[in-house]
Amino acid sequence: MALTSADLGDGTYRNPVLDADWSDPDLLCVGDDFYLTASSFGRVPGLPLLHSRDLVNWTLVGHALQLLEPARDFRKPRHDCGVWAPSLRHHDDRFWIFWGDPDHGIFQVNAPEIRGPWTRPHLVKEGKGLIDACPLWDEETGEAYLVHAWAKSRAGVKNRLTGHRMRPDGTGLLDEGKVIIDADRIPGWFTLEGPKAYRRDGWFWIFAPAGGVETGWQGAFRSRGFFGPYEERVVLEQGDTEVNGPHQGGWVRTGAGEDWFAHFQQRGPYGRVVHLQPMRWGDGGTSRSSEAESGGGWPVLGDKGVPVAVHRKPRLPPQPPSAPATDDDFPGGRFGRQWQWTANPHDGWATQHSGDGLRLSCVRTVDAHDLRRLPNVLTQRLPGAPATVEVELRLDSEEPGARAGLAVLGDAFSWIGLQREADGSVRLVHRFAESVAERERDAAHPREALEGRARLWIESGAGARCRFSYDVGGGRQPSGQVFAATPWRWVGALLGLFALAPVGGGHAGAASFTQFRITSSFR
């Protein structure tokens, strides 16, 4: 059975609605359409663009960022760097995405349509540790603002939000900025970040998470002026549910007048999966302000401030079940939108041709012993539920040491595939490296592959415990020990396809992958 949507088919949905690493989601409504983007860190293309008509059934329709900039800094993998916590907005008949790169500053891109063409990244504010940027255009006054958070690893400070006046065209800032919320002054709050700014009923609202990725909560702040002072409430927290750290996301209002909130849950090797919470306005939440104002109303998320597992779908026209694509036949050698390189790509890594199948060049590299260092690994997200991954591989390279395979890639990695030996034979190999290891080593004894072909499988079970198997002509066989997939610091584990060769002269040949499939499996 193929991977399915979160739509239960009876007018309800189950969380998560996106059961994979769509980290730090933000979303908006334009007409009858909903759009969502997410952090893409150091992978390319970046800034994924998802579309839905009901907030439950989503498809991936493209990416807003074709290359990471500055390009020189992303020639090699920087898995936890790059695009952090983007904000998606629609203003002046254009789509806008702002994000913070912790090493370079705040960038934005914009486009007349969600599918583009998107502009190249424009640097709005240069600096270290500037993250989680969000613009706000005040339609009442014509003023424009920007709010962002801080990464202590680069700036030496965190737990505060800085606000600016911004040029209405989004090209720059009009002041030096001011701390508008200092969570060091709010008892019990720490790691305040990920702000999303809104206007409602005469109030400036900032939805912002705190408490850390795995254990945090969602806060809401309001003020009569953008620069404060703000009062705050906790509007979503774990409570007695199994949803740890339910926070950091965006609020959207449907054409029917309903309010909804999408946020992430950190799930270890699966990364940050996306949940959808109903939202209403009332007196819910927990006030932690000593100077709370009266009037207005506060957002109440989920079931009285705790996450829902199953809920009525938004009151919108029924939609066919859908989920972001995973399978690929690679028609004409092209790969689908679900794939991303681990760094800015070079021409020639994947070649187009007249048939089906992905043809990856065996890129020569000094880092053949460590997939974590390779920019030419083509990846997609590891499903958040038990699943079986399979692909067929043919190694066409005659270069001794050339290899290609199917990998689970994270701070530790494991892969299974084919390698050309010095005597000209092709071997089925299975290798891995622990988090602290600098080189891979065999996970199983190499086996001969007479025709240079193999069918490869990874079965990902509970807790992302992966079992590898293969067929080189004698039937399917298990390989090696169970491998527990691991994330990087901020990025979930990835599935990857690769081809490489040792350093040397000349073209090193290629490898072909066909019939990539991911199917649900239950234990």
Side-chain angles (χ1 to χ4, degrees):
M1 181 175 63
L3 299 184
T4 57
S5 82
D7 194 331
L8 296 178
D10 59 0
T12 65
Y13 70 91
R14 56 170 166 75
N15 274 317
V17 291
L18 288 168
D19 197 4
D21 189 20
W22 302 95
S23 180
D24 312 318
D26 193 28
L27 73 171
L28 84 165
C29 178
V30 179
D32 296 329
D33 298 289
F34 300 94
Y35 302 104
L36 182 148
T37 192
S39 295
S40 49
F41 298 98
R43 302 193 303 281
V44 181
L47 292 172
L49 302 167
L50 286 80
H51 171 256
S52 176
R53 285 290 183 93
D54 63 2
L55 292 171
V56 172
N57 294 287
W58 292 92
T59 57
L60 179 64
V61 297
H63 291 82
L65 186 62
Q66 296 309 306
L67 290 173
L68 285 160
E69 295 190 15
R72 65 181 182 276
D73 288 357
F74 293 96
R75 289 176 294 189
K76 293 185 177 181
R78 302 180 67 207
H79 298 289
D80 288 312
C81 302
V83 176
W84 284 20
S87 294
L88 176 62
R89 294 292 182 265
H90 191 256
H91 168 72
D92 196 25
D93 294 325
R94 296 187 72 83
F95 290 89
W96 302 77
I97 302 178
F98 283 66
W99 73 94
D101 179 318
D103 299 303
H104 300 101
I106 294 168
F107 292 88
Q108 60 96 339
V109 292
N110 59 86
E113 304 290 342
I114 196 70
R115 290 172 175 81
W118 289 85
T119 62
R120 284 186 57 180
H122 175 79
L123 185 61
V124 178
K125 180 181 179 181
E126 185 176 5
K128 294 280 189 178
L130 310 178
I131 59 170
D132 306 357
C134 182
L136 174 64
W137 285 273
D138 188 342
E139 303 297 342
E140 297 178 14
T141 65
E143 298 277 350
Y145 304 95
L146 182 81
V147 60
H148 69 82
W150 295 87
K152 188 174 183 179
S153 60
R154 275 74 161 186
V157 296
K158 68 171 187 176
N159 206 32
R160 64 190 63 175
L161 304 180
T162 294
H164 291 268
R165 293 188 184 277
M166 184 176 71
R167 292 175 185 165
D169 64 3
T171 59
L173 304 176
L174 298 175
D175 57 31
E176 294 300 314
K178 174 186 175 183
V179 175
I180 58 176
I181 301 174
D182 184 351
D184 286 346
R185 299 189 177 192
I186 307 175
W189 284 60
F190 60 95
T191 317
L192 179 67
E193 56 190 358
K196 298 291 183 280
Y198 309 94
R199 274 288 253 157
R200 178 185 184 270
D201 294 342
W203 293 90
F204 287 89
W205 289 90
I206 294 178
F207 286 36
V213 170
E214 295 185 1
T215 58
W217 59 88
Q218 181 65 37
F221 299 79
R222 71 179 186 183
S223 174
R224 290 297 187 182
F226 177 77
F227 290 97
Y230 283 86
E231 53 179 326
E232 86 286 340
R233 286 196 179 185
V234 175
V235 294
L236 185 69
E237 53 192 340
Q238 179 172 355
D240 60 359
T241 74
E242 296 182 357
V243 183
N244 61 293
H247 71 316
Q248 189 155 342
W251 158 39
V252 68
R253 172 164 285 183
T254 72
E258 289 185 335
D259 294 302
W260 296 83
F261 185 78
H263 66 89
F264 76 69
Q265 174 198 10
Q266 169 65 31
R267 293 190 56 223
Y270 302 116
R272 304 174 189 181
V273 302
V274 178
H275 291 240
L276 180 68
Q277 302 298 335
M279 174 174 155
R280 62 181 178 83
W281 292 88
D283 294 324
T286 303
S287 177
R288 298 192 181 181
S289 172
S290 59
E291 300 178 357
E293 298 182 31
S294 60
W298 289 88
V300 182
L301 275 55
D303 181 8
K304 299 178 181 178
V306 298
V308 300
V310 175
H311 195 271
R312 170 188 62 81
K313 290 174 57 181
R315 299 191 191 281
L316 294 165
Q319 302 297 320
S322 63
T326 56
D327 296 356
D328 207 340
D329 287 321
F330 310 107
R334 298 174 177 87
F335 49 85
R337 298 186 182 100
Q338 66 267 35
W339 298 96
Q340 297 169 291
W341 299 105
T342 47
N344 281 338
H346 289 211
D347 291 339
W349 285 359
T351 57
Q352 297 180 10
H353 52 89
S354 59
D356 288 347
L358 175 69
R359 186 173 297 165
L360 293 183
S361 297
C362 291
V363 177
R364 294 188 181 275
T365 175
V366 297
D367 294 318
H369 58 283
D370 191 342
L371 297 186
R372 295 165 295 198
R373 302 183 183 183
L374 297 185
N376 57 302
V377 182
L378 195 60
T379 68
Q380 64 168 283
R381 294 158 180 84
L382 180 71
T388 299
V389 183
E390 60 179 309
V391 71
E392 184 151 332
L393 166 65
R394 185 182 75 240
L395 182 62
D396 297 321
S397 173
E398 300 295 328
E399 183 77 11
R403 69 203 71 160
L406 169 67
V408 176
L409 185 62
D411 192 38
F413 68 88
S414 186
W415 66 274
I416 191 167
L418 298 174
Q419 176 173 302
R420 179 73 63 177
E421 301 296 325
D423 63 3
S425 65
V426 176
R427 298 271 180 178
L428 186 289
V429 294
H430 180 189
R431 299 200 173 113
F432 78 103
E434 302 163 274
S435 299
V436 296
E438 296 183 358
R439 302 183 68 88
E440 66 186 26
R441 58 193 182 97
D442 286 333
H445 295 293
R447 300 173 185 273
E448 191 168 6
L450 294 177
E451 297 182 4
R453 288 177 173 269
R455 192 76 184 166
L456 309 171
W457 289 267
I458 299 175
E459 294 178 90
S460 174
R465 292 173 59 82
C466 299
R467 296 181 181 275
F468 290 73
S469 55
Y470 65 92
D471 182 357
V472 290
R476 186 171 172 178
Q477 302 291 329
S479 181
Q481 303 299 313
V482 174
F483 173 79
T486 64
W488 282 279
R489 187 175 184 186
W490 307 126
V491 181
L494 300 166
L495 298 170
L497 303 176
F498 71 93
L500 61 84
V503 291
H507 190 269
S512 296
F513 297 85
T514 55
Q515 297 179 323
F516 183 91
R517 299 287 184 269
I518 301 180
T519 53
S520 296
S521 57
F522 300 93
R523 287 172 171 75

